[in-house]
Amino acid sequence: MRKASSWLALVGVLATTTAAADTPGKLRGLVSVSNKDWPEDDAIWVREDSPISWYHNFHWNVTATYAALPQDRLEFVPTLWGGGVNDTEFLANVTEMIRPAGGGDGRAITHIMAFNMPDQPYEYGGSQMTPADAARAWVRNLLPLREDFGIKIGLPLVGDPRGGWVDPFLRNCSGLNKGKDCEFDFVPLHAFGHFGVLKDQIGKFASAFPGKPLWVVEYGYPDQNLTTTQQYFNESLAYLEGHEAVARYSWFGAFRSTVSNVGANMAMLDPWGNLTDIGSWYLGGEATGTPAMPSDMPRTDLCTVDNPCGSSKNAAATVAGLQDLSLWGGIVAFGLLFVLV
Ligand SMILES: *[C@@H]1O[C@H](CO)[C@@H](O)[C@H](O)[C@H]1NC(C)=O
Ligand SMILES: *[C@@H]1O[C@H](CO)[C@@H](O)[C@H](O)[C@H]1NC(C)=O
Ligand SMILES: *[C@@H]1O[C@H](CO)[C@@H](O)[C@H](O)[C@H]1NC(C)=O
Ligand SMILES: *[C@@H]1O[C@H](CO)[C@@H](O)[C@H](O)[C@H]1NC(C)=O
Ligand SMILES: *[C@@H]1O[C@H](CO)[C@@H](O)[C@H](O)[C@H]1NC(C)=O
Ligand SMILES: *[C@@H]1O[C@H](CO)[C@@H](O)[C@H](O)[C@H]1NC(C)=O
Ligand SMILES: *[C@@H]1O[C@H](CO)[C@@H](O)[C@H](O)[C@H]1NC(C)=O
C-alpha cells in the first residue's frame, strides 16, 4: 500500500492547486468502488481536467483517496444504504463529519441519499425494508439533517416508482412527522439494460415525481460486445445530457475489466488500469483504442478457483458486507427488470 500514500499526496496537491473543474451541462459523477488491490486507480477519476464533479460510494464516509478534496472540487454524497430503524448512528456520523465535535473545519455536505432499493430483497441487492421501518429510519436519521443543515435528501432509491412501496412510505413518514409531509429534494434511480430501459426508467420516474430532479446514480448496458456498449454509451450520455428532468448521472464503470460484474466492456479501465475508450470519453478525452479486455487474454486466465471472478478481486470487494450486494445483486435485479420491460 506504499503507492496509496503517494497518490494521496498527489490528490492533496491537486486539492490545493485546482479550482472546481468545468462541468458539462449536467453533473457527471462517479460510482466510487475502490479496489484494495489497486488503490492508485482512484486518482484517475480526479485528474486535473476531469469533468467528474461528484461521487457516491454506498457509504456514509468519504473514499479515502478523495478525503483531502473539498466539496467544491469533488462533492461527496453520503448514502445510508439501509438500516437506521432503531439507531441514529448515520445521523451522528454525518453530523460529526459536517461539524466535528473536536472543532476544526467540517465537510460541507449538501446532498444525501438513503436506502438502496428498500423495495427489493437482499438477494437482489435491495436493502429490504418495509415502508414503516424506512419511515422510522428516515425520521431519525435524515429529517434532522435536512432541518438542521438544509441538506437536500433523495427519495429512497426504489427499483420501481409504481411498485407500491413509495406511497405507504410517505404516509408512514408523515405519520411520524406530526402529520407534516416528509419532503424530499431529488429522486435517485438505477437503469441497467438496453437504451429503452434507460428511457423507460427515466420516463416512469419523471411522471411519478414531476418537477423533482432525477439522479441516474448507476446505469449501463451489461454484457454486450464493444460496438453495442459504445453505441449505448454515446446514446445514453447524449440522452442524459439533453433530458430536462435529469440533474446528475454516474456511469457504472470505474473499475478494471477483469473485476467487472457487468461484462468487460462497461469497465472504464483495462486489466492494467489504462483508460479504455469509454473511460477516456467519460473524462472528456479522446478515444484511447485500448481494448477493455485484450482478445488474447481470456477472462478464465484471470479467474481461478483461488481468485474467482466476482469475489476477492471484484470491483466491489472493498465495499463491505451488504454493500457488496448492492452492486452485484442490483445488477441481477435490473437484469430481471430488463427482461420484464
Ligand atoms: C472516514 O474516512 C476518512 C478517510 O479515509 C478516515 O480518515 C476516517 O477515519 C473515517 N472516519 C471514520 C469515523 O471511520
Ligand atoms: C426496532 O425496535 C422495535 C421495538 O423494540 C423492534 O420491534 C423492531 O424489531 C426493531 N427493528 C429493527 C429493524 O431493528
Ligand atoms: C458510524 O461510524 C462508525 C465508526 O466508523 C461505524 O462503525 C458505523 O458503522 C457507522 N454507522 C453508520 C450507520 O454509518
Ligand atoms: C404504514 O403504512 C401502511 C400502509 O399505508 C399502514 O398499513 C401501516 O399501518 C402504517 N404503519 C405505521 C407504523 O404507520
Ligand atoms: C454486437 O452485438 C449486437 C447486438 O447483440 C449484434 O447485432 C452485433 O452483430 C454484434 N457485433 C459483433 C461485432 O459481434
Ligand atoms: C462514440 O462517440 C465517439 C466520440 O465521442 C466517437 O468517436 C465514436 O465513434 C462513437 N461510437 C459509436 C459506436 O457511436
Ligand atoms: C497499460 O498499462 C501498462 C502498465 O501501466 C503499460 O505498460 C501499457 O503500456 C499500457 N497500455 C496502453 C495501451 O496504454
Side-chain angles (χ1 to χ4, degrees):
M1 298 293 131
R2 185 169 41 83
K3 262 187 167 164
S5 52
S6 52
W7 278 102
L8 268 174
L10 172 64
V11 170
V13 170
L14 285 179
T16 54
T17 56
T18 45
D22 282 343
T23 52
K26 300 299 165 85
L27 294 187
R28 186 170 297 181
L30 173 71
V31 189
S32 172
V33 284
S34 305
N35 190 301
K36 62 178 167 27
D37 295 314
W38 308 299
E40 66 273 24
D41 291 354
D42 286 342
I44 293 170
W45 318 111
V46 296
R47 66 187 197 186
E48 202 163 341
D49 55 351
S50 174
I52 289 174
S53 59
W54 69 281
Y55 74 103
H56 65 104
N57 62 9
F58 309 94
H59 196 54
W60 70 270
N61 200 6
V62 292
T63 294
T65 304
Y66 310 138
L69 295 174
Q71 289 290 97
D72 60 3
R73 167 74 172 81
L74 183 71
E75 182 193 341
F76 172 56
V77 177
T79 301
L80 174 56
W81 190 90
V85 179
N86 288 331
D87 65 72
T88 51
E89 266 186 39
F90 179 82
L91 174 65
N93 287 357
V94 173
T95 301
E96 169 67 20
M97 177 162 50
I98 298 171
R99 198 167 52 198
D105 288 343
R107 184 171 288 276
I109 299 296
T110 51
H111 298 85
I112 283 185
M113 295 196 284
F115 314 134
N116 191 70
M117 302 199 295
D119 58 336
Q120 305 289 327
Y122 291 136
E123 65 201 280
Y124 293 160
S127 54
Q128 193 173 314
M129 294 173 83
T130 62
D133 271 359
R136 275 170 68 92
W138 180 280
V139 169
R140 283 171 181 240
N141 284 285
L142 296 159
L143 266 192
L145 292 168
R146 194 172 189 275
E147 284 168 0
D148 296 348
F149 299 107
I151 289 174
K152 293 187 159 59
I153 311 179
L155 187 73
L157 193 162
V158 291
D160 184 352
R162 303 172 190 152
W165 192 93
V166 174
D167 287 345
F169 163 75
L170 290 173
R171 274 198 301 275
N172 286 164
C173 194
S174 166
L176 296 171
N177 188 27
K178 305 182 190 83
K180 281 187 294 178
D181 281 352
C182 282
E183 294 180 59
F184 52 94
D185 304 284
F186 62 96
V187 180
L189 63 112
H190 291 166
F192 287 102
H194 58 69
F195 184 60
V197 172
L198 178 71
K199 276 178 38 178
D200 192 61
Q201 280 289 92
I202 289 175
K204 272 194 221 168
F205 278 85
S207 66
F209 309 107
K212 294 290 184 196
L214 304 182
W215 290 22
V216 184
V217 300
E218 283 179 49
Y219 76 103
Y221 190 5
D223 298 316
Q224 301 301 310
N225 64 39
L226 187 63
T227 310
T228 301
T229 311
Q230 292 192 344
Q231 263 162 8
Y232 172 88
F233 177 82
N234 286 358
E235 199 175 11
S236 61
L237 207 60
Y239 183 75
L240 294 168
E241 286 282 343
H243 198 294
E244 62 172 8
V246 175
R248 301 190 183 198
Y249 57 84
S250 40
W251 175 258
F252 191 71
F255 38 75
R256 299 189 183 194
S257 57
T258 34
V259 295
S260 173
N261 63 332
V262 283
N265 290 324
M266 267 172 64
M268 295 200 280
L269 299 174
D270 81 351
W272 301 276
N274 303 300
L275 286 169
T276 61
D277 288 351
I278 286 179
S280 181
W281 291 333
Y282 201 66
L283 291 181
E286 298 296 319
T288 57
T290 302
M293 186 70 82
S295 52
D296 58 353
M297 180 187 261
R299 203 184 152 129
T300 47
D301 285 0
L302 295 150
C303 307
T304 63
V305 173
D306 292 335
N307 180 35
C309 290
S311 66
S312 71
K313 285 194 158 199
N314 74 57
T318 57
V319 183
L322 288 175
Q323 289 149 5
D324 255 9
L325 287 170
S326 81
L327 296 173
W328 288 81
I331 306 301
V332 176
F334 279 88
L336 290 175
L337 183 69
F338 167 39
V339 171
L340 294 174
V341 287

